[in-house]
Amino acid sequence: FVNGVPELPVFYALTHAYGGRWSWEEVPSRNIKLFSDAGVKLFQADLYMEDIWFKDKKELDLTKAFKQVRGFTDINPEARVVIRIHVNAPYWWNEANREECTGFADGPIDSVTYGPPRNLEDGDIDRPLRASLASLKWRKEAGERLAEFCKKMAASPEGNHVIGIHVAGGVFGEWHYWGYPKHDPDNGPAMTNYFRSWLIKKYKSDQSLQKAWNNTRYTLKDATVPDTAERNATNGILRNPSKEQRVIDYFTCQQEVVADDIEYFCRIVKETWPRNIITGVFYGYFHMTFSRQASGGHLFVERILKSPYIDYLSAPQSYHWMAYDFGGPGFSRGIIESAIINKKLWLDEVDNGWKQKIDYSPTRTDIYADTQFVAMTRRSALMPLTRGIGFWYYDFGLTKSRGWWDHPVYQKNIKEEIDYFGKSFRNPFKNEADVLMVYDMESFYYLHNKWTALSEDIPDVMAAEVFKTGATTDEVYLFDLPKINLEKYKVVIFFNCFKMKESDIQFVKSKVATNGRTLIYTYLPAYTDGITSGLKRTSALTGFKMEKTNFNGKPSYKTLNNIYPDTKYDFMSSVYPLFKITDDKAEPILALTHSNDIVAAKKVNKDHTVILGILPIHNPLLLQKIFKDAGVHIYNEDTDVTVCKSGVIWIHTKEGGPRTLNLKNGKKVTVTLPAKSTTIYNGETGKKIF
């Protein structure tokens, strides 16, 4: 709501990249006008501390900040602007405060310390000279400058058009730690001191520390940050907390540092701006995090979701090819329904213009008008708009000669979306999902912090395939499971819940495993409680008997039971530890190709059904069969991305062809889908909307 009036949460955002980020320049101005003409009123623009905080001045110089806002209002007097302000210290500050900067466990600082703000992957994913996110001096001084910025901007005419402050920091402004995902931070003095203070609060005594770490080498006063070799010493996919608590503690501390920073700066905005203003951050990335969640991810998401100083979370849509490419669902990297449960708005960043392969073309070409790219753009908009959230178009194309969506074909599509959803978003939200996907952030502390055969497979590949089953789904974190009404869900999938407390297990057994519901577990749920690890806890949760296999190669599996669709799948590397199901009361589904050891099976209990996939279950048609058996409504029996929410059904397809829509009211509608298309239909009548 802006001044009490509801606004469709669709933004146009300028790039942060040098060469296209100023609103008043020629190419950005043209694109602001295009999106204004399409009905967009909400805009976002970046601002770096380098732009306003200078070494030789006592006060900030907001000349560029004011011009940045005026660049929008000069074109669209109704523009409402969110300023994405990067609170990273300017380079001159880093040079003057090297003892406050990030250290890297895998090598020395190796990037330049001069020049313009970083563009894309230039420098910050290497080992840059950057103020440590654990530096209390940086936090204090940058916080003082942020407060000064808020006071001066709010008091200006331009400030009347500012509706929000997006607090950005770290790599890409997305609160990834410096060097992510390539390098291992942070063993510098600031982080080492922070880590020791953190350990004192947790353990209180040297004896407690040494017992937890199973090591008498360290005390609270001289504890150090683990080096790269120690971080990567895990024997297999899962960490053993009885042997690796030192590494788990460090990653927990580093994650808490980032959450501390975010709340600190957002609180300053809330308490300094003289009227109501929204605050937002990039945070809560789960999907597609380069298998490096512990060192650069967002594991304190429960705290951030509960914070009174933060109104929205945001993330680019998933970059994993299974989600991103044609035929993929294009879902967010965040867990949307958990944001909604916690009364936060979620905003996706749609930055897939590069898929058009035109951002570096020297001339305008007809490839702009290729309708296949309209299908991708439309899919990227429909996914958030039908899930009850919003998004912005983020335009890197401005760094060259024009915007990514600067063509009548794209603008027509954008206007159609805004015209339709600008009216329908005021209607009560309808959520037809009957499949619930459950994820866990804390489990990443207990996973190897590098790529493994399952690190992308479970959160990215399997998740993307669920969207191709014809079912409609919701996603939540494990910690939010007790907050939701489970009655409508016929299937609950536990993707990566390797760490579960006893209370989690008891809740699942008493509240989820009831009412004839089907529960699907992946790999080793509840394998650890954060203190001990073992198969006994997994068996207690799932009810399956298992034992370890002797296979050390790359596993592959096949369908063992011919009542299920033929399925074969090869994994890219070995999976260790790997177990097999030895329960003679279970119905086999999948077996290892080389041995026929069962790795997925079904067990029907009195009041619920359990399916355990020691290896992730692949093939959308196999998942669809499981869903059908559980009573899930299948809207489309082909393997297109199909979503039914907000009173509409939309389908994104790569191959196209004739399809039958199975509406919830029993009506069947036959349609023909063009190849590489995204089409939206009325959920009650099946009539095409656009």
Side-chain angles (χ1 to χ4, degrees), residues 125-414:
I125 64 171
D126 296 320
R127 291 188 289 260
L129 181 68
R130 283 291 199 177
S132 170
L133 298 182
S135 169
L136 299 182
K137 182 178 181 181
W138 157 72
R139 187 188 290 175
K140 178 179 181 295
E141 294 185 13
E144 291 169 348
R145 293 295 178 263
L146 180 61
E148 181 185 351
F149 168 80
C150 289
K151 290 176 183 177
K152 291 182 175 179
M153 178 59 76
S156 71
E158 291 80 6
N160 291 329
H161 293 270
V162 176
I163 63 168
I165 299 293
H166 182 114
V167 178
V171 172
F172 311 141
E174 297 175 68
W175 292 108
H176 302 307
Y177 217 100
W178 302 117
Y180 172 87
K182 295 170 61 175
H183 298 289
D184 284 335
D186 174 357
N187 64 355
M191 175 57 85
T192 300
N193 290 334
Y194 199 106
F195 187 41
R196 289 170 180 168
S197 297
W198 187 90
L199 293 171
I200 289 171
K201 291 179 183 178
K202 178 175 181 179
Y203 290 110
K204 307 294 191 298
S205 70
D206 294 339
Q207 292 78 11
S208 296
L209 173 73
Q210 291 167 355
K211 180 180 179 181
W213 285 10
N214 196 22
N215 191 325
T216 59
R217 175 181 172 186
Y218 300 101
T219 68
L220 294 172
K221 290 184 178 180
D222 65 10
T224 59
V225 170
D227 61 21
T228 297
E230 188 174 357
R231 298 180 196 199
N232 296 333
T234 302
N235 183 22
I237 290 175
L238 296 170
R239 295 190 187 279
N240 185 341
S242 66
K243 296 180 180 179
E244 300 176 82
Q245 189 61 44
R246 177 168 134 81
V247 175
I248 294 168
D249 276 343
Y250 169 68
F251 283 137
T252 305
C253 174
Q254 181 185 299
Q255 292 285 336
E256 188 169 337
V257 161
V258 176
D260 285 347
D261 290 339
I262 288 172
E263 280 207 291
Y264 177 81
F265 290 114
C266 288
R267 181 173 182 171
I268 287 174
V269 175
K270 285 289 191 184
E271 294 182 348
T272 306
W273 203 274
R275 57 173 168 79
N276 287 336
I277 191 168
I278 61 171
T279 55
V281 291
F282 285 117
Y283 203 78
Y285 295 21
F286 179 87
H287 298 294
M288 188 53 202
T289 48
F290 307 101
S291 306
R292 298 273 283 164
Q293 273 277 20
S295 62
H298 299 153
L299 304 193
F300 267 66
V301 66
E302 183 175 10
R303 172 178 163 183
I304 297 303
L305 283 172
K306 292 179 178 178
S307 174
Y309 308 114
I310 297 159
D311 299 306
Y312 74 80
L313 279 68
S314 56
Q317 293 178 336
S318 176
Y319 295 138
H320 193 277
W321 68 270
M322 283 284 291
Y324 209 81
D325 284 355
F326 282 115
F331 52 66
S332 175
R333 294 168 78 181
I335 306 305
I336 302 308
E337 281 69 36
S338 271
I340 294 171
I341 288 168
N342 288 282
K343 303 187 187 304
K344 305 296 184 189
L345 178 62
W346 185 279
L347 295 173
D348 275 355
E349 178 170 286
V350 175
D351 59 358
N352 58 10
W354 67 272
K355 295 296 289 187
Q356 300 168 33
K357 305 297 183 186
I358 56 168
D359 49 334
Y360 296 110
S361 173
T363 60
R364 295 175 180 270
T365 66
D366 288 340
I367 196 170
Y368 270 99
D370 193 323
T371 56
Q372 62 180 321
F373 298 116
V374 173
M376 179 173 284
T377 299
R378 181 176 291 179
R379 174 204 68 185
S380 297
L382 291 180
M383 182 61 82
L385 287 175
T386 54
R387 295 180 79 180
I389 62 172
F391 72 99
W392 60 73
Y393 291 100
Y394 200 63
D395 202 341
F396 284 113
L398 297 174
T399 60
K400 295 301 173 181
S401 62
R402 69 275 180 223
W404 271 337
W405 294 280
D406 183 359
H407 190 281
V409 171
Y410 294 103
Q411 290 299 314
K412 177 177 180 293
N413 171 66
I414 291 167

Side-chain angles (χ1 to χ4, degrees), residues 14 51 60 74 81 190 198 203 239 250 267 360 412 415 427 476 480 517 545 559 600 604 649 652 668:
L14 300 181
D51 300 322
L60 298 179
D74 286 348
V81 181
W198 187 90
Y203 290 110
R239 295 190 187 279
Y250 169 68
R267 181 173 182 171
Y360 296 110
K412 177 177 180 293
K415 190 174 189 310
N427 299 330
V476 296
D480 279 330
R517 192 174 290 117
K545 296 178 182 179
T559 307
V604 179
I649 300 173
H652 174 68
K668 294 183 181 293

Side-chain angles (χ1 to χ4, degrees), residues 353-510:
W354 67 272
K355 295 296 289 187
Q356 300 168 33
K357 305 297 183 186
I358 56 168
D359 49 334
Y360 296 110
S361 173
T363 60
R364 295 175 180 270
T365 66
D366 288 340
I367 196 170
Y368 270 99
D370 193 323
T371 56
Q372 62 180 321
F373 298 116
V374 173
M376 179 173 284
T377 299
R378 181 176 291 179
R379 174 204 68 185
S380 297
L382 291 180
M383 182 61 82
L385 287 175
T386 54
R387 295 180 79 180
I389 62 172
F391 72 99
W392 60 73
Y393 291 100
Y394 200 63
D395 202 341
F396 284 113
L398 297 174
T399 60
K400 295 301 173 181
S401 62
R402 69 275 180 223
W404 271 337
W405 294 280
D406 183 359
H407 190 281
V409 171
Y410 294 103
Q411 290 299 314
K412 177 177 180 293
N413 171 66
I414 291 167
K415 190 174 189 310
E416 285 177 340
E417 293 164 356
I418 291 173
D419 287 347
Y420 177 78
F421 286 100
K423 298 174 183 177
S424 67
F425 90 105
R426 292 176 171 82
N427 299 330
F429 179 65
K430 293 182 180 180
N431 187 348
E432 291 84 354
D434 49 9
V435 174
L436 182 64
M437 304 158 77
V438 181
Y439 304 98
D440 182 54
M441 278 293 201
E442 286 194 17
S443 290
F444 287 109
Y445 292 123
Y446 304 92
L447 292 181
H448 194 28
N449 191 45
K450 293 180 69 176
W451 187 91
T452 69
L454 303 186
S455 59
E456 291 183 17
D457 192 291
I458 293 172
D460 297 312
V461 179
M462 183 179 172
E465 289 181 340
V466 171
F467 280 88
K468 297 183 177 184
T469 61
T472 289
T473 65
D474 284 342
E475 297 180 294
V476 296
Y477 287 116
L478 179 64
F479 58 75
D480 279 330
L481 198 54
K483 301 176 186 176
I484 65 175
N485 184 351
L486 291 166
E487 289 185 6
K488 69 175 183 175
Y489 298 111
K490 305 294 179 59
V491 172
V492 178
I493 310 173
F494 294 86
F495 277 79
N496 73 320
C497 300
F498 313 130
K499 189 257 183 181
M500 295 178 72
K501 303 186 295 293
E502 185 61 30
S503 59
D504 296 325
I505 294 174
Q506 292 307 315
F507 179 83
V508 171
K509 293 175 74 172
S510 64

Side-chain angles (χ1 to χ4, degrees), residues 612-633:
L612 174 62
I614 297 292
L615 292 172
I617 298 174
H618 290 293
N619 181 1
L621 292 177
L622 173 55
L623 290 166
Q624 185 186 94
K625 163 65 175 170
I626 293 170
F627 293 172
K628 280 184 176 180
D629 290 347
V632 170
H633 186 84

Side-chain angles (χ1 to χ4, degrees), residues 586-645:
E587 172 190 310
I589 298 176
L590 298 170
L592 292 178
T593 304
H594 78 285
S595 66
N596 277 349
D597 286 339
I598 299 169
V599 290
K602 175 180 179 179
K603 203 169 185 179
V604 179
N605 299 292
K606 182 179 179 180
D607 56 355
H608 70 284
T609 297
V610 177
I611 293 176
L612 174 62
I614 297 292
L615 292 172
I617 298 174
H618 290 293
N619 181 1
L621 292 177
L622 173 55
L623 290 166
Q624 185 186 94
K625 163 65 175 170
I626 293 170
F627 293 172
K628 280 184 176 180
D629 290 347
V632 170
H633 186 84
I634 304 299
Y635 293 89
N636 172 14
E637 295 192 3
D638 286 86
T639 56
D640 312 301
V641 173
T642 305
V643 175
C644 182
K645 288 190 177 183

